[in-house]
Amino acid sequence: MSEQNNLVEVSKLICEKIEKAIGFLFDPNGRKKQAEEQFVAEIKEKNIPTLEKSALISNVRKIIKEYTNQNDILKLALQDFNSENAVDSSKIDHIDDEFLSRFFESAKHITSDNIKLIWARILSNEFSNPGSVPKRLIPILSVIEYKQADLFRKICQYTIICDDKVIPIIDTDFELEHFIQKGMYYESFLDLVSLGLISFNANSSNHIKFSFNNSIRNTTFKQTCKHFNQEFEVKTKNIVGCSKEISIDVGKILFTDSGLALMKSFDVDYSYEAFKYIIRYFENQGFDVCQKNKTIRIKHSTYKVSAGHGFYLNDIEDWEEIEVPDTLEARRADFSLTISGDSMEPIYSDGEIVLVKSQPSIDVGEIGIFVFNGSGYIKQNGGDRLISLNPEYDDIYILDGDTVMCAGKVIGKA
C-alpha cells in the first residue's frame, strides 16, 4: 500500500474510532454555512410562536458553531499526519475513549485559529502514541490564552535535551535584560505555573545531576546536549578527581508532565539568540562548550526589521557578518535580519533571525521584507496591503502616495 493510501486508511479508522467512542461524525468539507441556512429555513417554516423560533434558531447556530470548532480541530489533526508523524493503525484501538470524550467536549469551545492548531497537534500526538497526552492537559488547553501560549512557545525555544532529559535553560538571574526584551517577565512565568505547565523556582536555580563513567582517575566531565539540530558538548575545564557524578545548574524553570506533553505538540522554531544564551549560561558556570554542528557566515543587517526604523540594503556600513547553522536555507539566503516586535507571531517572534532571498517581488500570501515609506517590515503580501499574522495588529494598507519596495522573500530562520 502506498504511503498516501495508508494515510487515507488510517484517517478513516480514526474517524470510525471517534464516531464509535463519542458519536462524532467528521465532515471533511465543513459546510457550516449551508447547514446553518438549511436548519434556519426549516425552523422559519414551522407554525410556532416567534419566541420559540428565535430560541430554536439560536440553539441551532450554537450547536453548529460548536460542531464546526470540533470538526476544524479534527481536520487539522488528520492533516498533520506525515512521514515524520506516522500513525500505526494497530494502535488506534488503544486510544482512550474517555480521553476522546473529554477532548471533544472541551474542543467545541475553541474558536481561535491559533489555539485550534495547538489542539490539533495534541490530538495528532495522541493518535500517534496513545496515552502520551495526560488528561489533565485538556482543562489547561481549555483556558490557556494566546499570550500564555506564546510565552510557553518562547520558553520551548530555550529547551535542550541532555541524557534524555528535556530541560528549558532559563535563569532570570543571568542576563535578565535578555528576557525583558522578549517580554518574558517573572509575573508571566507565574501564570504558566498556575496553569500547571511549568515549575518556577524564583529563589534559586534547579540542579540536574549527571552520572558518567570515571574509570580513569583525574578525568574531565563531558556531556553531549542537543538544542534542536545543534549538538554541543559541555565539559569541565579542570579534572574532577574520582567523582562519578556532577551537578549542573539548569535555570529556574522545569516542565511538568503536562508542560512536556504540550511542548512536544508545539511547532517551535530554532532561535539563534536562544542558543547563544544557552552557551553563555553554561560558560558562566565555568564549563567549556564545544559546538559540534557546522556553521556558516552570512550577511546580517544591523537594523531590526518591523522596528519602525528604515534600513537601506545598499549601505555597506549597515551590515555585519554572523554565524548561523549550516542549513540549505542559510546557503540559499542572501542576507538575514533580526525581528523586533510580535506582529508576525505565532510564526515569527521578537528577536528571531530570518533568512532572506533577495528578489524584487513575491507572490500574494508569501512572507517578505518590505520597505514601506522608508521603514523596514516583515509582512505577508496581501496585494493591496501588508498583513500582520498576529490578529492583535492591523494590516498596513497601501494608499496613493505610499512607497513600497520588496527587499526579498523570507525563506526560513537561522
Side-chain angles (χ1 to χ4, degrees), residues 74 166 179 409:
L74 177 54
V166 181
F179 296 105
K409 176 181 177 180

Side-chain angles (χ1 to χ4, degrees), residues 4 6-18 24-29 70-83 85-87 92 95 104 116-117 119-125 127-128:
Q4 182 60 37
N6 182 60
L7 292 177
V8 171
E9 180 63 23
V10 168
S11 296
K12 179 181 177 182
L13 291 173
I14 287 175
C15 290
E16 290 175 353
K17 166 67 177 179
I18 294 173
F24 182 86
L25 293 173
F26 174 59
D27 178 11
N29 298 313
Q70 296 168 319
N71 200 71
D72 288 347
I73 291 171
L74 177 54
K75 186 175 182 179
L76 289 169
L78 295 175
Q79 291 173 349
D80 191 51
F81 297 160
N82 52 53
S83 57
N85 190 27
V87 175
I92 294 176
I95 301 173
F104 279 90
K116 282 180 180 178
L117 288 172
W119 279 72
R121 182 56 64 85
I122 289 285
L123 187 59
S124 176
N125 285 349
F127 290 159
S128 300

Side-chain angles (χ1 to χ4, degrees), residues 335-390:
F335 63 94
S336 62
L337 291 162
T338 300
I339 297 174
S340 177
D342 60 355
S343 66
M344 293 298 285
E345 291 186 345
I347 297 180
Y348 300 99
S349 299
D350 181 58
E352 289 185 328
I353 295 175
V354 290
L355 304 170
V356 185
K357 181 70 176 176
S358 295
Q359 56 189 68
S361 64
I362 62 173
D363 293 335
V364 172
E366 292 182 326
I367 307 294
I369 303 299
F370 298 91
V371 181
F372 178 79
N373 291 339
S375 296
Y377 296 89
I378 173 173
K379 296 293 176 185
Q380 184 181 52
N381 182 12
D384 64 343
R385 73 196 72 178
L386 302 179
I387 298 174
S388 299
L389 300 182
N390 188 336

Side-chain angles (χ1 to χ4, degrees), residues 264-305:
K264 294 177 180 178
S265 303
F266 262 53
D267 282 324
V268 182
D269 294 301
Y270 171 83
S271 168
Y272 179 75
E273 281 194 298
F275 181 56
K276 287 300 183 183
Y277 171 86
I278 292 168
I279 290 178
R280 294 194 302 272
Y281 182 74
F282 284 124
E283 288 177 340
N284 187 60
Q285 296 183 52
F287 293 101
D288 280 330
V289 180
C290 177
Q291 190 173 341
K292 291 189 173 185
N293 298 72
K294 294 182 179 179
T295 60
I296 60 173
R297 299 186 68 82
I298 188 172
K299 188 166 68 169
H300 183 74
S301 172
T302 58
Y303 289 94
K304 293 186 177 182
V305 67

